[in-house]
């Protein structure tokens, strides 16, 4: 079974950077669409970035384009999210997820989730 564990969250000031990591069970990234989601209190869970092994065009939400970069290292079984120029509105719990396709970023299409890592950005 797929097991996912996030790390790298923390508290930073606006304009700062963080890199999130998602450690996965072996061979996960060659078999599944991988994505980062986030959820702030009172809001719905939303897709942030997604990638399929070997894909040339990863998905990014409009709100993070140009600031966040998703990547994966199959040999290390690790997914990354580099977050630059952070804004207070980026504050949320961030989740790593795995699903069968990358055609939709609805949380309902992703069956495997990590426990989450908190990102807090202050002004």
């Amino acid at each position: 079974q797929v097991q996912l564990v996030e790390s790298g969250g923390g508290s930073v000031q606006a304009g700062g950077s963080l890199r999130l990591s998602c450690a996965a069970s072996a061979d996960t990234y060659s078999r599944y669409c991988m994505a980062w989601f986030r959820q702030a209190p009172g809001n719905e869970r939303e897709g942030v970035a997604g990638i399929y092994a070997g894909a040339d065009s990863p998905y990014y939400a409009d709100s993070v384009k140009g600031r966040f970069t998703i990547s994966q290292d199959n040999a290390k079984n690790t997914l990354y999210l580099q977050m630059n120029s952070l804004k207070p509105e980026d504050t949320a719990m961030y989740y790593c997820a795995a699903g069968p396709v990358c055609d939709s970023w609805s949380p309902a299409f992703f069956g495997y989730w990590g426990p989450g890592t908190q990102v807090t950005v202050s002004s």
Side-chain angles (χ1 to χ4, degrees), residues 3-122:
Q3 297 182 0
L4 307 171
V5 180
E6 305 94 337
S7 62
S11 298
V12 298
Q13 291 190 328
S17 299
L18 286 172
R19 188 182 75 164
L20 306 184
S21 298
C22 175
S25 50
D27 208 33
T28 296
Y29 301 125
S30 66
R31 297 177 179 270
Y32 296 93
C33 172
M34 303 301 300
W36 289 96
F37 287 78
R38 67 186 182 187
Q39 186 170 22
N43 294 338
E44 295 184 346
R45 188 167 298 187
E46 63 175 345
V48 176
I51 191 170
Y52 190 81
D56 294 327
S57 301
Y59 161 84
Y60 295 100
D62 288 341
S63 60
V64 307
K65 286 181 179 178
R67 300 189 297 120
F68 291 9
T69 302
I70 187 172
S71 62
Q72 62 186 51
D73 187 331
N74 291 342
K76 297 181 179 180
N77 298 310
T78 303
L79 181 74
Y80 301 98
L81 184 67
Q82 179 66 47
M83 305 186 295
N84 298 325
S85 302
L86 284 163
K87 304 175 180 180
E89 50 263 47
D90 295 319
T91 296
M93 183 71 74
Y94 282 72
Y95 300 91
C96 177
V101 297
C102 280
D103 296 331
S104 173
W105 301 118
S106 170
F109 286 89
F110 291 80
Y112 300 97
W113 296 85
T117 185
Q118 179 67 37
V119 172
T120 302
V121 185
S122 60

